[in-house]
Amino acid sequence: MNLPMPIAFLPGQPAPGACATDSAVSDPAPLSGEELAVQAQGGCEEAFAALVSAYAGRIYNFLFQMTRNAHDAEDLAQETFVRAFRSIERYDPRYGFSTWLFTIAKRLAASHFRSSRRAITEEFEESHAPLDFSTPSSELEARDQASSLWDLARTLKRNQYEVLWLRYGESFSVEQTAQVMGATQIYVKVLLHRARGSLGKLLRKNGFDGGKFEL
Amino acid sequence: MITDKSRAMPCWIYRKQLQEAAANSAPLSAAARRHVQSCACCGEEFALQSALTRRLVREAKQQAEEAPAFLASRVMAAARASRHSAPEPAFPAWPRLASFAGMAALGALALFLTLPKPPPLAPSPVALQPAMADEEIGPALTQWAAKINNPLQTEMERVASDARNAMQLLAHNFLPARPASAGEEGSQN
């Protein structure tokens, strides 16, 4: 679900101000995100709409995992695509479009946390009740209440959780994860190693040996 | 009895390979696989890390949250509305400002290094002046202002003073002593 996937859209050469797909209907091969982005750079709004349809779910899910709040995730997803739309000329087709889009989303999520100073909101539905990690005692309580591995992962440091989600939740490669995080591959590898180590310790502490987190 | 070379090797040789293979769900080399089979400690750790990776991937799919159905149309409406507004910079402005400031600093430094330096000023003798009374300050200030207003004359006076001092010093050290007793003898006679 994570690599640049073909998108059901008609192919064609990009032309400034017009969608090349209008005249090319004979070849039904779907276009990739990168090809659609090139068409969107030429002014094709339909190509950008196809990109939105293709990536809105992933971007929303990523932002939801970062914020654990449906409203914030919606707003940030909208802002992500608006920024992408306004700066689509700066996209370099040599790189993956999904990486570029996730980079925007990740920066927006980071600035969202800086501005709001909260990772988890109170208005979230009870069924998706987030874990409260605001104090050490609540963090311990949250770890006790964690019912899934990702609940436990959310108790890690923020950048460790982000790198885990990008690598395993979005199935980005180490190189793509480094691009999204704006870091080197070495840094991402080190961060992954530390995150996995911390998660392993938490698993053992939370009953890995026969407990509810038994692998 | 350990017969395989890989079994005899210490665990640290394989540790990095095992960690990377477990983290990336990559296949092990034959030697590493034999080591994992023979070393209980490494085998247990490799199994744990591999299971952790599998479970992270599996549970991430379970965690997935469906986007609202209206999100795409809402996004496109917002994108169309933003078409005529000012374009957002892809990167924050401060790195560009910092680079401009750095280039300006480097240019100023290069200009400073390439400009010819003025000759150093000759040190002027500074005489310590005793504290002046209030009534002396006015004339002193006037004299000082006159010197400042006429630097060439001041410099010439200093040169002449230095020359007089030098002549007096030379005369005192090298000229024969004045026959001062001649006058005294004449007056006595």
Side-chain angles (χ1 to χ4, degrees):
Chain A
M1 72 181 196
N2 306 308
L3 297 175
M5 65 181 88
I7 297 164
F9 200 74
L10 299 174
Q13 295 300 318
C19 295
T21 54
D22 291 343
S23 57
V25 292
S26 57
D27 188 0
L31 293 185
S32 66
E34 290 74 27
E35 291 168 319
L36 283 171
V38 170
Q39 291 200 358
Q41 284 179 328
C44 178
E45 193 175 297
E46 286 82 359
F48 190 80
L51 286 172
V52 171
S53 299
Y55 289 101
R58 279 186 67 189
I59 290 293
Y60 172 82
N61 182 41
F62 170 69
L63 290 166
F64 178 81
Q65 301 301 333
M66 297 298 113
T67 60
R68 303 302 294 173
N69 182 283
H71 299 298
D72 288 347
E74 276 179 39
D75 292 343
L76 289 173
Q78 174 181 317
E79 184 62 23
T80 299
F81 283 104
V82 167
R83 290 201 180 192
F85 183 74
R86 289 163 69 170
S87 56
I88 191 71
E89 291 82 11
R90 296 192 184 97
Y91 165 67
D92 188 346
R94 289 176 298 175
Y95 303 102
F97 179 76
S98 62
T99 310
W100 185 70
L101 198 60
F102 271 83
T103 304
I104 298 174
K106 197 255 172 200
R107 285 179 182 168
L108 280 173
S111 75
H112 168 76
F113 282 117
R114 276 197 298 271
S115 61
S116 64
R117 297 279 180 191
R118 64 196 170 109
I120 298 158
T121 57
E122 297 171 357
E123 306 96 19
F124 200 57
E125 296 88 18
E126 190 63 30
S127 58
H128 297 93
L131 302 171
D132 181 15
F133 308 131
S134 55
T135 63
S137 60
S138 61
E139 184 174 335
L140 286 173
E141 191 179 348
R143 284 175 181 167
D144 289 340
Q145 292 173 354
S147 58
S148 78
L149 194 57
W150 284 104
D151 285 343
L152 213 54
R154 274 186 276 276
T155 66
L156 301 176
K157 289 181 181 175
R158 173 132 212 97
N159 56 356
Q160 291 183 355
Y161 172 67
E162 283 175 358
V163 80
L164 278 177
W165 183 264
L166 287 169
R167 181 72 184 89
Y168 300 113
E170 301 295 337
S171 297
F172 279 130
S173 65
V174 170
E175 182 183 4
Q176 289 171 319
T177 304
Q179 286 177 4
V180 172
M181 296 192 73
T184 64
Q185 292 187 44
I186 298 290
Y187 176 78
V188 166
K189 285 182 180 177
V190 169
L191 204 57
L192 266 175
H193 179 70
R194 288 179 182 167
R196 290 173 59 92
S198 302
L199 199 55
K201 284 179 186 174
L202 286 176
L203 280 171
R204 291 187 182 93
K205 201 183 290 183
N206 284 269
F208 165 69
D209 297 325
K212 59 182 175 180
F213 283 110
E214 187 174 10
L215 300 172
Chain B
M1 176 181 168
I2 297 172
T3 55
D4 196 332
K5 192 194 293 182
S6 67
R7 293 181 192 178
M9 285 186 174
C11 299
W12 60 265
I13 292 180
Y14 295 103
R15 188 172 300 155
K16 190 170 187 298
Q17 187 183 352
L18 293 178
Q19 284 172 352
E20 290 200 353
N24 302 315
S25 299
L28 284 175
S29 67
R33 199 180 312 119
R34 281 194 297 272
H35 178 76
V36 165
Q37 289 168 355
S38 62
C39 176
C41 181
C42 289
E44 184 183 346
E45 183 65 20
F46 180 69
L48 169 66
Q49 293 295 330
S50 299
L52 179 62
T53 301
R54 285 194 301 272
R55 203 172 146 180
L56 280 169
V57 173
R58 187 177 67 237
E59 291 194 12
K61 291 172 184 169
Q62 297 167 0
Q63 294 268 319
E65 187 76 8
E66 287 291 322
F70 55 85
L71 181 63
S73 56
R74 177 183 160 185
V75 164
M76 283 310 296
R80 289 188 189 102
S82 72
R83 176 179 288 164
H84 300 295
S85 57
E88 284 279 326
F91 299 101
W94 66 265
R96 282 182 292 176
L97 291 176
S99 63
F100 282 134
M103 287 173 62
L106 279 177
L109 182 64
L111 189 65
F112 175 75
L113 291 176
T114 52
L115 279 179
K117 292 182 179 177
L121 295 174
S124 57
V126 177
L128 291 176
Q129 298 289 335
M132 286 187 289
D134 289 344
E135 59 271 14
E136 295 174 344
I137 289 177
L141 277 176
T142 309
Q143 191 180 4
W144 176 71
K147 284 182 180 177
I148 287 179
N149 290 335
N150 199 352
L152 180 60
Q153 184 182 355
T154 306
E155 190 62 27
M156 292 300 293
E157 286 175 0
R158 283 179 183 168
V159 169
S161 172
D162 289 345
R164 276 195 299 274
N165 289 338
M167 290 300 292
Q168 286 174 2
L169 184 68
L170 288 171
H172 182 265
N173 288 330
F174 297 107
L175 288 181
R178 183 189 296 175
S181 58
E184 292 172 359
E185 289 172 1
S187 63
Q188 286 174 358
N189 292 335

